[in-house]
Amino acid sequence: GAVVSQHPSRVICKSGTSVKIECRSLDFQATTMFWYRQFPKQSLMLMATSNEGSKATYEQGVEKDKFLINHASLTLSTLTVTSAHPEDSSFYICSALPFPGTSGGFYPYNEQFFGPGTRLTVL
Amino acid sequence: TQLLEQSPQFLSIQEGENLTVYCNSSSVFSSLQWYRQEPGEGPVLLVTVVTGGEVKKLKRLTFQFGDARKDSSLHITAAQPGDTGLYLCAALYNQGGKLIFGQGTELSVKP
């Protein structure tokens, strides 16, 4: 249980285009999902907290108009990088917090489960 | 200001050696987690420690939570090339599940 998928796993796009990344919890419901960005050899940097049915909460310094987040269902959150530029190239990772009782396991300490990541390259 | 200070950030050792990674903070946390991440993949949870002074073992990995719940360590005995990866400590920032991460430790174990 507690599997999170991301699609696509890698994407290459031209500067100025928009890219949508999907994050799905496959076998549990998640009212809260998180989006992270990671540069090579560095730790994860939280970009935003995505809550089902409400607006995302962005971390300081993250442009909400640049990184659009939609959490339309209990199993899906999307991150859209609008008008992507080469400096947006990075590894984007999502995680999902199981809603109590909906996963196959028991996670009492707010453990969240991470997707496999999406490598975005903007040319 | 980094809330979780992780050290060392890079570690290159020979197979069979022991190593310890530290995660320190001036804040008290209700729990602390350790993750391992391989290149091109998402982090995988290794362990969650919740009680001050707690020690948990996962094969050759030993995790300890400080008595005051401000720090933690990860000790690997007889490291193997398969242990190579990025090790991350993380702590729960709020009840909403938001995690803060340490800087990470890039471990390379050479055969």
Side-chain angles (χ1 to χ4, degrees), chain A residues 6 9-10 32 34 36 38 41-46 49 51 59 91 93-95 97 107 109-117 119, chain B residues 6 10 31 33 35 37-45 48 50 56 86 88-89 92 94-99 101-104 106:
Chain A
Q6 274 183 250
S9 57
R10 55 182 66 225
T32 303
F34 302 90
Y36 297 85
Q38 186 178 33
K41 305 291 186 184
Q42 292 188 22
S43 188
L44 277 69
M45 183 191 78
L46 180 65
T49 301
N51 291 298
E59 294 299 301
F91 194 51
I93 305 174
C94 71
S95 68
L97 195 59
Y107 308 106
Y109 306 120
N110 270 359
E111 286 103 333
Q112 54 191 264
F113 296 89
F114 288 82
R119 171 74 58 194
Chain B
Q6 193 172 338
F10 299 96
S31 66
Q33 299 170 351
Y35 293 84
Q37 184 183 22
E38 297 198 41
E41 299 181 11
V44 175
L45 179 66
T48 300
V50 295
K56 283 191 173 179
L86 180 67
L88 297 156
C89 66
L92 202 59
N94 59 25
Q95 290 304 311
K98 179 176 169 179
L99 285 177
F101 281 87
Q103 299 99 321
E106 185 75 34

Side-chain angles (χ1 to χ4, degrees), chain A residues 48-106:
Chain A
T49 301
S50 169
N51 291 298
E52 186 267 337
S54 63
K55 290 184 179 180
T57 303
Y58 290 82
E59 294 299 301
Q60 191 172 6
V62 178
E63 299 175 59
K64 58 183 68 177
D65 294 330
K66 172 83 173 169
F67 299 100
L68 301 179
I69 291 172
N70 185 290
H71 194 154
S73 79
L74 290 173
T75 59
L76 173 64
S77 175
T78 60
L79 167 68
T80 301
V81 183
T82 63
S83 187
H85 287 96
E87 58 265 31
D88 298 323
S89 297
S90 190
F91 194 51
Y92 292 87
I93 305 174
C94 71
S95 68
L97 195 59
F99 189 75
T102 67
S103 70
F106 176 58

Side-chain angles (χ1 to χ4, degrees), chain B:
Chain B
T1 304
Q2 189 76 23
L3 287 177
L4 276 179
E5 294 285 344
Q6 193 172 338
S7 64
Q9 290 189 288
F10 299 96
L11 194 53
S12 181
I13 61 173
Q14 292 296 128
E15 182 176 1
E17 292 184 13
N18 302 330
L19 67 113
T20 303
V21 178
Y22 299 93
C23 184
N24 297 301
S25 176
S26 57
S27 302
V28 176
F29 295 108
S30 58
S31 66
L32 194 141
Q33 299 170 351
W34 285 92
Y35 293 84
R36 178 166 171 260
Q37 184 183 22
E38 297 198 41
E41 299 181 11
V44 175
L45 179 66
L46 295 173
V47 77
T48 300
V49 286
V50 295
T51 306
E54 180 177 12
V55 176
K56 283 191 173 179
K57 291 195 175 185
L58 192 64
K59 296 184 180 178
R60 293 176 292 101
L61 278 61
T62 301
F63 305 86
Q64 187 161 5
F65 202 13
D67 291 339
R69 291 186 286 126
K70 292 182 179 182
D71 55 89
S72 181
S73 64
L74 157 61
H75 182 80
I76 300 180
T77 304
Q80 298 177 1
D83 295 327
T84 294
L86 180 67
Y87 289 82
L88 297 156
C89 66
L92 202 59
Y93 184 77
N94 59 25
Q95 290 304 311
K98 179 176 169 179
L99 285 177
I100 54 170
F101 281 87
Q103 299 99 321
T105 296
E106 185 75 34
L107 171 65
S108 174
V109 182
K110 301 186 189 310

